Amino acid sequence: MSIHISAEKGQIAKVVLQPGDPLRAQFIAEKYLENAELVSKTRGIFYYTGLYKGKEITVGASGMGFPSIGIYSFELFTEYEVDTIIRIGTCGAYSTDLQLFDILNVDNAASESTYAKYAWEIEDEILPHQGNIYNTINQTAEELSLKTKSINVHSSDIFYRKDPAVPAIATKYNCPAVEMEAFGLFANAKHLGKNAATILTVTDIIPTHEKISADERERALKPMMELALESALKSL
């Protein structure tokens, strides 16, 4: 057991899918995994391990922001010897070049955060995906006839802010979308020599205030979930 995950050694698979929301982790486990077992529920953050097409996969939540995903991904990589984490989440689009329901495979995450600097002495303000899983996702998307976009994303510490303008760092690194976890995940994976990727579904268009409704969310997120599961298979 680690400090924040109560699973026993051997109860977490080598590949973990990591949505932010514990209930989304539960949904994926119940819909897609055979013999899914709840192996941790510390602090209400659910982790399930089960079989997908005969291979063992774990799905568990990261929570929101770098402090949260930083803790969970670090403990998964170090205490449970996880090789690969695929974050699956939602994002807002800064630009109408993206549309609702678009699936994004994150190439690089840029951030103003000091997380990487003070955790691992990584000075970069933009970090790439780690390992081969990014390429596996692109290949799998092509095989599934899923259209994905490879982009840079702004990973922000801030959800609400005074200034409505697109932050300077997003403009600097050509980031058409914003989320809150990829940079922290990539920093941990870079420090530890692990594999990490982030797949996002666009659920909000910030300049036009368009949003995917609550009723549409399951339909919107299923292609991303299935892409992550099929990509996970290839990495095992």
PDB file of all heavy atoms in Angstrom, residues 167-188:
ATOM      1  N   PRO A 167      -4.241  33.188 -21.899  1.00  0.00           N
ATOM      2  CA  PRO A 167      -2.974  33.432 -21.213  1.00  0.00           C
ATOM      3  C   PRO A 167      -1.792  33.453 -22.171  1.00  0.00           C
ATOM      4  O   PRO A 167      -1.775  32.752 -23.194  1.00  0.00           O
ATOM      5  CB  PRO A 167      -2.877  32.248 -20.241  1.00  0.00           C
ATOM      6  CG  PRO A 167      -4.292  31.852 -19.998  1.00  0.00           C
ATOM      7  CD  PRO A 167      -4.987  32.068 -21.308  1.00  0.00           C
ATOM      8  N   ALA A 168      -0.789  34.252 -21.821  1.00  0.00           N
ATOM      9  CA  ALA A 168       0.353  34.457 -22.708  1.00  0.00           C
ATOM     10  C   ALA A 168       1.073  33.157 -23.041  1.00  0.00           C
ATOM     11  O   ALA A 168       1.533  32.962 -24.172  1.00  0.00           O
ATOM     12  CB  ALA A 168       1.325  35.457 -22.074  1.00  0.00           C
ATOM     13  N   ILE A 169       1.171  32.253 -22.079  1.00  0.00           N
ATOM     14  CA  ILE A 169       1.909  31.018 -22.339  1.00  0.00           C
ATOM     15  C   ILE A 169       1.199  30.156 -23.374  1.00  0.00           C
ATOM     16  O   ILE A 169       1.842  29.454 -24.162  1.00  0.00           O
ATOM     17  CB  ILE A 169       2.161  30.227 -21.039  1.00  0.00           C
ATOM     18  CG1 ILE A 169       3.245  29.169 -21.282  1.00  0.00           C
ATOM     19  CG2 ILE A 169       0.869  29.623 -20.498  1.00  0.00           C
ATOM     20  CD1 ILE A 169       3.821  28.577 -20.017  1.00  0.00           C
ATOM     21  N   ALA A 170      -0.120  30.220 -23.412  1.00  0.00           N
ATOM     22  CA  ALA A 170      -0.867  29.461 -24.409  1.00  0.00           C
ATOM     23  C   ALA A 170      -0.610  30.004 -25.808  1.00  0.00           C
ATOM     24  O   ALA A 170      -0.488  29.241 -26.777  1.00  0.00           O
ATOM     25  CB  ALA A 170      -2.357  29.486 -24.084  1.00  0.00           C
ATOM     26  N   THR A 171      -0.516  31.313 -25.915  1.00  0.00           N
ATOM     27  CA  THR A 171      -0.188  31.937 -27.201  1.00  0.00           C
ATOM     28  C   THR A 171       1.244  31.623 -27.607  1.00  0.00           C
ATOM     29  O   THR A 171       1.529  31.295 -28.763  1.00  0.00           O
ATOM     30  CB  THR A 171      -0.404  33.459 -27.108  1.00  0.00           C
ATOM     31  OG1 THR A 171      -1.759  33.718 -26.745  1.00  0.00           O
ATOM     32  CG2 THR A 171      -0.091  34.126 -28.434  1.00  0.00           C
ATOM     33  N   LYS A 172       2.160  31.708 -26.648  1.00  0.00           N
ATOM     34  CA  LYS A 172       3.580  31.484 -26.906  1.00  0.00           C
ATOM     35  C   LYS A 172       3.829  30.098 -27.499  1.00  0.00           C
ATOM     36  O   LYS A 172       4.647  29.946 -28.424  1.00  0.00           O
ATOM     37  CB  LYS A 172       4.358  31.636 -25.602  1.00  0.00           C
ATOM     38  CG  LYS A 172       5.858  31.394 -25.715  1.00  0.00           C
ATOM     39  CD  LYS A 172       6.534  31.603 -24.369  1.00  0.00           C
ATOM     40  CE  LYS A 172       8.031  31.356 -24.448  1.00  0.00           C
ATOM     41  NZ  LYS A 172       8.695  31.558 -23.123  1.00  0.00           N
ATOM     42  N   TYR A 173       3.137  29.094 -26.991  1.00  0.00           N
ATOM     43  CA  TYR A 173       3.397  27.717 -27.420  1.00  0.00           C
ATOM     44  C   TYR A 173       2.284  27.139 -28.296  1.00  0.00           C
ATOM     45  O   TYR A 173       2.211  25.931 -28.478  1.00  0.00           O
ATOM     46  CB  TYR A 173       3.623  26.825 -26.195  1.00  0.00           C
ATOM     47  CG  TYR A 173       4.925  27.137 -25.496  1.00  0.00           C
ATOM     48  CD1 TYR A 173       4.934  27.786 -24.261  1.00  0.00           C
ATOM     49  CD2 TYR A 173       6.146  26.806 -26.068  1.00  0.00           C
ATOM     50  CE1 TYR A 173       6.131  28.080 -23.619  1.00  0.00           C
ATOM     51  CE2 TYR A 173       7.341  27.097 -25.441  1.00  0.00           C
ATOM     52  CZ  TYR A 173       7.326  27.736 -24.209  1.00  0.00           C
ATOM     53  OH  TYR A 173       8.508  28.024 -23.576  1.00  0.00           O
ATOM     54  N   ASN A 174       1.434  28.013 -28.828  1.00  0.00           N
ATOM     55  CA  ASN A 174       0.388  27.590 -29.757  1.00  0.00           C
ATOM     56  C   ASN A 174      -0.463  26.475 -29.152  1.00  0.00           C
ATOM     57  O   ASN A 174      -0.573  25.373 -29.696  1.00  0.00           O
ATOM     58  CB  ASN A 174       0.996  27.140 -31.089  1.00  0.00           C
ATOM     59  CG  ASN A 174      -0.055  26.891 -32.158  1.00  0.00           C
ATOM     60  OD1 ASN A 174      -1.140  27.478 -32.123  1.00  0.00           O
ATOM     61  ND2 ASN A 174       0.256  26.008 -33.107  1.00  0.00           N
ATOM     62  N   CYS A 175      -1.072  26.788 -28.009  1.00  0.00           N
ATOM     63  CA  CYS A 175      -1.933  25.833 -27.299  1.00  0.00           C
ATOM     64  C   CYS A 175      -3.390  26.234 -27.508  1.00  0.00           C
ATOM     65  O   CYS A 175      -3.856  27.202 -26.904  1.00  0.00           O
ATOM     66  CB  CYS A 175      -1.623  25.837 -25.806  1.00  0.00           C
ATOM     67  SG  CYS A 175       0.075  25.432 -25.371  1.00  0.00           S
ATOM     68  N   PRO A 176      -4.135  25.506 -28.326  1.00  0.00           N
ATOM     69  CA  PRO A 176      -5.526  25.884 -28.575  1.00  0.00           C
ATOM     70  C   PRO A 176      -6.507  25.394 -27.522  1.00  0.00           C
ATOM     71  O   PRO A 176      -7.712  25.641 -27.633  1.00  0.00           O
ATOM     72  CB  PRO A 176      -5.817  25.237 -29.926  1.00  0.00           C
ATOM     73  CG  PRO A 176      -4.950  24.024 -29.940  1.00  0.00           C
ATOM     74  CD  PRO A 176      -3.701  24.393 -29.193  1.00  0.00           C
ATOM     75  N   ALA A 177      -6.020  24.669 -26.506  1.00  0.00           N
ATOM     76  CA  ALA A 177      -6.920  24.122 -25.485  1.00  0.00           C
ATOM     77  C   ALA A 177      -6.250  24.176 -24.122  1.00  0.00           C
ATOM     78  O   ALA A 177      -5.031  24.276 -24.005  1.00  0.00           O
ATOM     79  CB  ALA A 177      -7.305  22.690 -25.831  1.00  0.00           C
ATOM     80  N   VAL A 178      -7.076  24.078 -23.076  1.00  0.00           N
ATOM     81  CA  VAL A 178      -6.584  24.165 -21.706  1.00  0.00           C
ATOM     82  C   VAL A 178      -7.153  23.037 -20.854  1.00  0.00           C
ATOM     83  O   VAL A 178      -8.320  22.673 -20.990  1.00  0.00           O
ATOM     84  CB  VAL A 178      -6.918  25.542 -21.077  1.00  0.00           C
ATOM     85  CG1 VAL A 178      -8.424  25.815 -21.074  1.00  0.00           C
ATOM     86  CG2 VAL A 178      -6.340  25.675 -19.679  1.00  0.00           C
ATOM     87  N   GLU A 179      -6.306  22.476 -20.001  1.00  0.00           N
ATOM     88  CA  GLU A 179      -6.716  21.481 -19.003  1.00  0.00           C
ATOM     89  C   GLU A 179      -5.821  21.685 -17.783  1.00  0.00           C
ATOM     90  O   GLU A 179      -5.133  22.695 -17.691  1.00  0.00           O
ATOM     91  CB  GLU A 179      -6.642  20.061 -19.572  1.00  0.00           C
ATOM     92  CG  GLU A 179      -5.310  19.655 -20.162  1.00  0.00           C
ATOM     93  CD  GLU A 179      -4.327  19.134 -19.138  1.00  0.00           C
ATOM     94  OE1 GLU A 179      -4.555  18.046 -18.581  1.00  0.00           O
ATOM     95  OE2 GLU A 179      -3.298  19.798 -18.894  1.00  0.00           O
ATOM     96  N   MET A 180      -5.797  20.720 -16.829  1.00  0.00           N
ATOM     97  CA  MET A 180      -5.142  21.014 -15.551  1.00  0.00           C
ATOM     98  C   MET A 180      -4.204  19.919 -15.031  1.00  0.00           C
ATOM     99  O   MET A 180      -3.743  20.021 -13.896  1.00  0.00           O
ATOM    100  CB  MET A 180      -6.208  21.301 -14.479  1.00  0.00           C
ATOM    101  CG  MET A 180      -7.144  22.444 -14.829  1.00  0.00           C
ATOM    102  SD  MET A 180      -8.290  22.883 -13.498  1.00  0.00           S
ATOM    103  CE  MET A 180      -7.192  23.724 -12.367  1.00  0.00           C
ATOM    104  N   GLU A 181      -3.892  18.905 -15.823  1.00  0.00           N
ATOM    105  CA  GLU A 181      -3.114  17.795 -15.271  1.00  0.00           C
ATOM    106  C   GLU A 181      -1.940  17.307 -16.112  1.00  0.00           C
ATOM    107  O   GLU A 181      -1.003  16.714 -15.575  1.00  0.00           O
ATOM    108  CB  GLU A 181      -4.032  16.588 -14.995  1.00  0.00           C
ATOM    109  CG  GLU A 181      -4.962  16.740 -13.818  1.00  0.00           C
ATOM    110  CD  GLU A 181      -6.225  17.499 -14.143  1.00  0.00           C
ATOM    111  OE1 GLU A 181      -6.708  17.407 -15.288  1.00  0.00           O
ATOM    112  OE2 GLU A 181      -6.731  18.203 -13.255  1.00  0.00           O
ATOM    113  N   ALA A 182      -1.952  17.470 -17.419  1.00  0.00           N
ATOM    114  CA  ALA A 182      -0.974  16.804 -18.291  1.00  0.00           C
ATOM    115  C   ALA A 182       0.468  17.168 -17.944  1.00  0.00           C
ATOM    116  O   ALA A 182       1.351  16.304 -17.923  1.00  0.00           O
ATOM    117  CB  ALA A 182      -1.261  17.128 -19.760  1.00  0.00           C
ATOM    118  N   PHE A 183       0.737  18.433 -17.676  1.00  0.00           N
ATOM    119  CA  PHE A 183       2.098  18.880 -17.382  1.00  0.00           C
ATOM    120  C   PHE A 183       2.660  18.169 -16.146  1.00  0.00           C
ATOM    121  O   PHE A 183       3.817  17.738 -16.133  1.00  0.00           O
ATOM    122  CB  PHE A 183       2.106  20.395 -17.176  1.00  0.00           C
ATOM    123  CG  PHE A 183       3.453  21.005 -16.925  1.00  0.00           C
ATOM    124  CD1 PHE A 183       4.304  21.325 -17.977  1.00  0.00           C
ATOM    125  CD2 PHE A 183       3.868  21.304 -15.627  1.00  0.00           C
ATOM    126  CE1 PHE A 183       5.544  21.922 -17.744  1.00  0.00           C
ATOM    127  CE2 PHE A 183       5.100  21.894 -15.385  1.00  0.00           C
ATOM    128  CZ  PHE A 183       5.942  22.203 -16.440  1.00  0.00           C
ATOM    129  N   GLY A 184       1.846  18.028 -15.119  1.00  0.00           N
ATOM    130  CA  GLY A 184       2.286  17.333 -13.912  1.00  0.00           C
ATOM    131  C   GLY A 184       2.568  15.867 -14.162  1.00  0.00           C
ATOM    132  O   GLY A 184       3.570  15.317 -13.675  1.00  0.00           O
ATOM    133  N   LEU A 185       1.701  15.210 -14.926  1.00  0.00           N
ATOM    134  CA  LEU A 185       1.909  13.808 -15.275  1.00  0.00           C
ATOM    135  C   LEU A 185       3.176  13.627 -16.091  1.00  0.00           C
ATOM    136  O   LEU A 185       3.994  12.739 -15.812  1.00  0.00           O
ATOM    137  CB  LEU A 185       0.702  13.286 -16.059  1.00  0.00           C
ATOM    138  CG  LEU A 185       0.831  11.872 -16.633  1.00  0.00           C
ATOM    139  CD1 LEU A 185       1.032  10.838 -15.527  1.00  0.00           C
ATOM    140  CD2 LEU A 185      -0.377  11.524 -17.488  1.00  0.00           C
ATOM    141  N   PHE A 186       3.378  14.485 -17.095  1.00  0.00           N
ATOM    142  CA  PHE A 186       4.565  14.376 -17.943  1.00  0.00           C
ATOM    143  C   PHE A 186       5.842  14.628 -17.139  1.00  0.00           C
ATOM    144  O   PHE A 186       6.871  13.990 -17.367  1.00  0.00           O
ATOM    145  CB  PHE A 186       4.478  15.352 -19.114  1.00  0.00           C
ATOM    146  CG  PHE A 186       3.393  15.059 -20.123  1.00  0.00           C
ATOM    147  CD1 PHE A 186       3.115  15.957 -21.144  1.00  0.00           C
ATOM    148  CD2 PHE A 186       2.636  13.899 -20.062  1.00  0.00           C
ATOM    149  CE1 PHE A 186       2.133  15.703 -22.084  1.00  0.00           C
ATOM    150  CE2 PHE A 186       1.627  13.626 -20.990  1.00  0.00           C
ATOM    151  CZ  PHE A 186       1.381  14.539 -21.999  1.00  0.00           C
ATOM    152  N   ALA A 187       5.777  15.565 -16.189  1.00  0.00           N
ATOM    153  CA  ALA A 187       6.949  15.852 -15.361  1.00  0.00           C
ATOM    154  C   ALA A 187       7.337  14.637 -14.523  1.00  0.00           C
ATOM    155  O   ALA A 187       8.523  14.273 -14.446  1.00  0.00           O
ATOM    156  CB  ALA A 187       6.669  17.052 -14.457  1.00  0.00           C
ATOM    157  N   ASN A 188       6.356  14.003 -13.886  1.00  0.00           N
ATOM    158  CA  ASN A 188       6.650  12.809 -13.089  1.00  0.00           C
ATOM    159  C   ASN A 188       7.237  11.705 -13.959  1.00  0.00           C
ATOM    160  O   ASN A 188       8.213  11.046 -13.585  1.00  0.00           O
ATOM    161  CB  ASN A 188       5.387  12.300 -12.399  1.00  0.00           C
ATOM    162  CG  ASN A 188       5.047  13.065 -11.143  1.00  0.00           C
ATOM    163  OD1 ASN A 188       5.696  14.050 -10.814  1.00  0.00           O
ATOM    164  ND2 ASN A 188       4.016  12.626 -10.444  1.00  0.00           N
TER     165      ASN A 188
END
